[in-house]
Amino acid sequence: MVNLITIEQKILKKNGDIALENRGELDRNGVLGVGLVSAPGSGKTRLLERTLGALAGQARVAVIEGDVQTDRDAQRIGALDVPVVQIVTNGTCHLEARMVQEALPRVALAGLDILFVENVGNLVCPSSYELGEHLRVVLMSTTEGEDKPLKYPAMFRRSQALVITKTDLLPHLDYDLAEAKRFALQVNPGLLVFETSCRTGEGVAEWTRFLLDRLRDLRASRTAAPS
Amino acid sequence: MVNLITIEQKILKKNGDIALENRGELDRNGVLGVGLVSAPGSGKTRLLERTLGALAGQARVAVIEGDVQTDRDAQRIGALDVPVVQIVTNGTCHLEARMVQEALPRVALAGLDILFVENVGNLVCPSSYELGEHLRVVLMSTTEGEDKPLKYPAMFRRSQALVITKTDLLPHLDYDLAEAKRFALQVNPGLLVFETSCRTGEGVAEWTRFLLDRLRDLRASRTAAPS
């Protein structure tokens, strides 16, 4: 067992090193990297579709899709005429930095503003693998119950923003939105929280503005940094 | 990397051995073991609450709860006056056979009919770890989208039954129930499919009858077997 732990730690360390290289690559190109993580079915791809529509004409965007099997999500994104690279993990339960590193040459970073990386649907394992994004965003749908931040705290702790999805369903659910937000902020007081419905479009403008603000911050810090 | 693979295979093999021991323990006591797996928030604990209510007076039941953190689910089950053991995995993304083996002495198998084991909410990793249950049941809620069986095929392939949850929300969703079932049966043609709403109680009686039938089958095979 000691051997296994040693090897795993080495692999995690390597992952962290590659994540830093990915971050460097994004920084050099002034591209904001945004990672999306959540349980399966929380609406990552749906949020992306809405976001890409809202960003059209305001930012040049590409997407890296991670899935255990199938390229269904990539097909949905590709239908919006946005450059997309699909990573099929073939059973692996999370994306790793090296997978993103292999995908990066296939998105033309030089011409981009924002790169989204949609992780495998999994609220546990992806939290242990930095990919190099500037922002990690966790999604939680109103149909999942209020207590997910308490039960899967690592993912909420290692994210900077929380997008609550499917708010249009609230009238039909026994869901306490205030309690869900309280639980999330209890686990990570620094979380920025957005309430969205991709069906009605509620909250999408606010979320998109946040992304554009972070892009502007990244570009400003780049200009200010000594060359 | 070769070392890591070797060690992992050994651990998986060990897990399979312990799962067989767990199965033997259940068999010796004539207890039907039912594992529940799904994404976080698909409604495993809610289905359990409903099922325990429906089984009251018909079967003596206990529950093993698996969670990454917190004993919230065990508290919910315990409130129904059902024996419950909580396994907190402290970050591990799935239950393993040895965790169940350690929990078994704390549920009095001799006086039981059915033992439910609720896994960590995760559609990927638990599929690789047999626990020794007679039945593995995967849940999928109507709010998760139709294509989860295609995107997370291993879990659907290694289950014997599929419980579709939250059917009461169908009028408020763009969800094609027939397509979801078609995808599930495409991945595993042998899946028994139940459509349930724990809010309205729809389908719970059918699901409960199925469990009691399987319990009767188990007891019959036990009587028929040479001593």
Side-chain angles (χ1 to χ4, degrees):
Chain A
M1 285 303 289
V2 173
N3 260 338
L4 177 64
I5 290 165
T6 311
I7 292 166
E8 273 190 344
Q9 282 177 339
K10 269 193 202 147
I11 287 176
L12 283 178
K13 180 142 181 277
K14 187 100 190 282
N15 185 80
D17 291 345
I18 301 174
L20 284 177
E21 293 172 12
N22 291 345
R23 172 71 70 97
E25 192 70 9
L26 292 168
D27 282 339
R28 264 189 298 285
N29 288 279
V31 175
L32 180 72
V34 181
L36 300 180
V37 291
S38 80
S42 298
K44 292 183 293 303
T45 313
R46 190 81 184 85
L47 179 70
L48 263 182
E49 289 171 331
R50 269 284 190 178
T51 306
L52 298 179
L55 287 174
Q58 300 188 75
R60 295 157 300 172
V61 174
V63 177
I64 294 177
E65 283 288 344
D67 274 303
V68 174
Q69 288 296 342
T70 84
D71 63 350
R72 292 178 63 88
D73 289 351
Q75 285 179 25
R76 285 169 62 182
I77 299 302
L80 302 174
D81 266 339
V82 168
V84 57
V85 177
Q86 175 79 52
I87 300 172
V88 176
T89 67
N90 270 322
T92 299
C93 52
H94 57 272
L95 289 182
E96 296 179 14
R98 65 173 172 82
M99 302 177 189
V100 172
Q101 189 165 51
E102 281 168 30
L104 281 182
R106 300 208 227 164
V107 291
L109 284 181
L112 281 190
D113 296 311
I114 304 179
L115 174 67
F116 291 98
V117 181
E118 181 182 338
N119 218 309
V120 172
N122 185 332
L123 263 186
V124 189
C125 314
S127 73
S128 305
Y129 295 84
E130 293 292 332
L131 302 178
E133 329 96 313
H134 297 93
L135 273 180
R136 182 179 278 182
V137 181
V138 59
L139 278 69
M140 169 171 74
S141 82
T142 56
T143 60
E144 291 168 25
E146 298 87 355
D147 61 2
K148 292 303 160 285
L150 302 180
K151 293 173 73 176
Y152 304 88
M155 194 68 97
F156 289 81
R157 234 173 250 136
R158 292 174 194 167
S159 297
Q160 290 81 48
L162 163 65
V163 176
I164 298 176
T165 60
K166 309 186 191 182
T167 57
D168 58 289
L169 291 174
L170 283 173
H172 315 295
L173 302 171
D174 310 312
Y175 182 78
D176 187 336
L177 183 61
E179 188 179 49
K181 287 194 280 187
R182 198 163 54 242
F183 285 158
L185 293 171
Q186 179 181 322
V187 166
N188 180 355
L191 269 182
L192 278 166
V193 183
F194 299 89
E195 301 170 21
T196 64
S197 162
C198 287
R199 207 179 195 191
T200 67
E202 185 204 337
V204 173
E206 199 185 348
W207 154 247
T208 313
R209 203 171 326 128
F210 161 70
L211 293 174
L212 291 172
D213 285 350
R214 294 301 302 258
L215 174 64
R216 207 184 43 227
D217 293 347
L218 178 76
R219 295 278 166 88
S221 69
R222 223 176 143 230
T223 315
S227 62
Chain B
M1 285 303 288
V2 173
N3 261 336
L4 178 63
I5 290 165
T6 311
I7 292 167
E8 271 190 345
Q9 282 176 337
K10 270 194 202 147
I11 287 176
L12 282 178
K13 180 142 181 278
K14 188 99 188 285
N15 186 79
D17 291 345
I18 301 174
L20 284 178
E21 294 171 11
N22 291 344
R23 173 72 70 97
E25 192 71 9
L26 291 168
D27 282 340
R28 264 189 298 284
N29 289 279
V31 175
L32 181 72
V34 181
L36 300 180
V37 291
S38 80
S42 298
K44 292 183 293 305
T45 313
R46 189 82 183 83
L47 179 69
L48 264 183
E49 288 172 331
R50 268 285 189 178
T51 306
L52 298 179
L55 287 174
Q58 301 189 74
R60 295 156 301 172
V61 174
V63 177
I64 294 176
E65 284 288 344
D67 274 302
V68 175
Q69 289 295 341
T70 84
D71 63 349
R72 292 179 62 89
D73 289 351
Q75 285 178 26
R76 284 170 63 183
I77 299 302
L80 302 175
D81 266 339
V82 168
V84 56
V85 176
Q86 175 79 53
I87 300 172
V88 176
T89 68
N90 271 322
T92 299
C93 52
H94 58 271
L95 288 182
E96 296 179 14
R98 65 175 172 83
M99 301 176 189
V100 173
Q101 189 165 52
E102 282 168 30
L104 281 182
R106 299 207 228 167
V107 291
L109 283 182
L112 280 191
D113 296 310
I114 304 179
L115 174 67
F116 291 98
V117 180
E118 181 182 338
N119 218 309
V120 172
N122 185 333
L123 263 187
V124 189
C125 314
S127 73
S128 304
Y129 295 84
E130 292 291 332
L131 303 179
E133 328 96 313
H134 297 93
L135 274 178
R136 182 179 278 182
V137 181
V138 59
L139 279 70
M140 169 171 74
S141 81
T142 56
T143 59
E144 290 168 24
E146 299 86 355
D147 62 1
K148 293 303 160 285
L150 302 180
K151 294 173 72 176
Y152 304 88
M155 194 67 98
F156 290 80
R157 234 173 250 137
R158 292 175 195 168
S159 298
Q160 290 81 48
L162 163 65
V163 176
I164 299 176
T165 60
K166 309 185 191 182
T167 57
D168 58 288
L169 291 175
L170 283 172
H172 315 295
L173 301 171
D174 309 313
Y175 182 78
D176 187 335
L177 183 61
E179 188 179 50
K181 287 195 279 188
R182 199 163 54 243
F183 286 156
L185 293 171
Q186 179 180 323
V187 167
N188 180 355
L191 269 182
L192 278 166
V193 183
F194 299 88
E195 301 170 20
T196 65
S197 163
C198 287
R199 208 179 195 191
T200 67
E202 185 204 336
V204 174
E206 200 185 348
W207 153 248
T208 312
R209 204 171 323 127
F210 162 70
L211 293 175
L212 291 172
D213 285 349
R214 294 301 303 258
L215 174 63
R216 208 185 41 229
D217 294 347
L218 177 76
R219 295 279 166 87
S221 69
R222 224 176 143 229
T223 314
S227 60

